[in-house]
Amino acid sequence: MSAATLLPAPAGVGAGVGAGAGVARCRVSAGRLLPSGAAGSAHAGGGLDVHATLAALFRSSGARHRFIPHAPEGRTDEASVLRGHPLAQAAKSLVLRVALGKRRRRYVLAVVPGDRRVDLAAVADLLGGTEASFAVREVAEQKTGSVSGSIAPFVLGSPDLEVLVDEGLTGHDEIFFNTGRLDMSVALDVSDYLALARPTVASIAER
């Protein structure tokens, strides 16, 4: 995909098609999906409609995926039961704050298997930081455009956020995650995910 591809919005619901009639256009730049002006549709909290944007990306790129509607659920273990897959295939996305030195910090989106905990020390070491901690809820939701429990393993409209993925997730054929909504998830082919999200893959989960 080129570095400035415009993606049209999906029209309906179903495998390969997103929910809702809102307009969602974005451009892909250095692994980040950025809204094109005011074209991103608003969700309940305002801003970009994460689900519609991801649906447009999957459809435009030909990514192998299927949407899975379910009862509202943000807990990874319970959502995995509703979706019908092993917990290890769940992509658990966490916004972390990494201290880089005096008054310097950066935020990253750490993605780990649902049956593992993120290794904060490993993340800090990977980025040359002094320590890593969980971002406060308000910051995490603002940077991802999603309520806690529904964060997808993609960066949407936040150019200062980098995606880190634990290598344990890459051994599966597909991964599962919420798409910015508590009542909607997706099963996505792992090779397609890596091609679209362009994350840094490393050992960032506790073993």
Side-chain angles (χ1 to χ4, degrees):
M1 184 176 296
S2 66
T5 303
L6 285 179
L7 306 177
V13 178
V17 182
V23 176
R25 294 171 66 85
C26 65
R27 54 188 173 86
V28 180
S29 178
R32 296 178 174 84
L33 305 182
L34 306 175
S36 295
S41 60
H43 56 70
L48 189 70
D49 185 326
V50 172
H51 173 77
T53 302
L54 289 176
L57 174 64
F58 299 157
R59 184 179 66 176
S60 176
S61 67
R64 290 157 289 185
H65 71 288
R66 63 185 186 280
F67 287 111
I68 307 170
H70 53 74
E73 183 56 68
R75 293 168 296 180
T76 304
D77 53 350
E78 296 296 332
S80 296
V81 172
L82 293 174
R83 296 186 296 236
H85 63 82
L87 187 56
Q89 284 183 266
K92 182 167 56 177
S93 301
L94 307 160
V95 179
L96 305 182
R97 179 184 183 275
V98 181
L100 301 176
K102 187 176 181 180
R103 297 183 179 179
R104 293 180 58 235
R105 65 180 183 276
R106 67 185 293 186
Y107 290 93
V108 297
L109 184 65
V111 186
V112 299
D115 61 346
R116 302 281 186 177
R117 294 185 178 184
V118 64
D119 188 333
L120 295 175
V123 171
D125 288 344
L126 181 65
L127 299 177
T130 56
E131 73 171 334
S133 57
F134 295 101
V136 298
R137 180 169 182 165
E138 292 77 8
V139 170
E141 294 183 349
Q142 183 273 327
K143 288 188 173 294
T144 60
S146 304
V147 298
S148 180
S150 72
I151 297 174
F154 285 86
V155 171
L156 305 174
S158 185
D160 64 336
L161 200 61
E162 179 183 355
V163 184
L164 308 178
V165 173
D166 182 69
E167 59 190 12
L169 275 174
T170 64
H172 301 289
D173 292 331
E174 58 184 7
I175 54 175
F176 298 76
F177 52 89
N178 287 66
T179 60
R181 287 170 45 175
L182 293 174
D183 63 349
M184 183 69 71
S185 293
V186 70
L188 178 63
D189 180 87
V190 168
S191 61
D192 290 334
Y193 167 68
L194 294 174
L196 293 173
R198 304 179 195 175
T200 295
V201 178
S203 178
I204 60 167
E206 293 182 352
R207 296 293 192 265

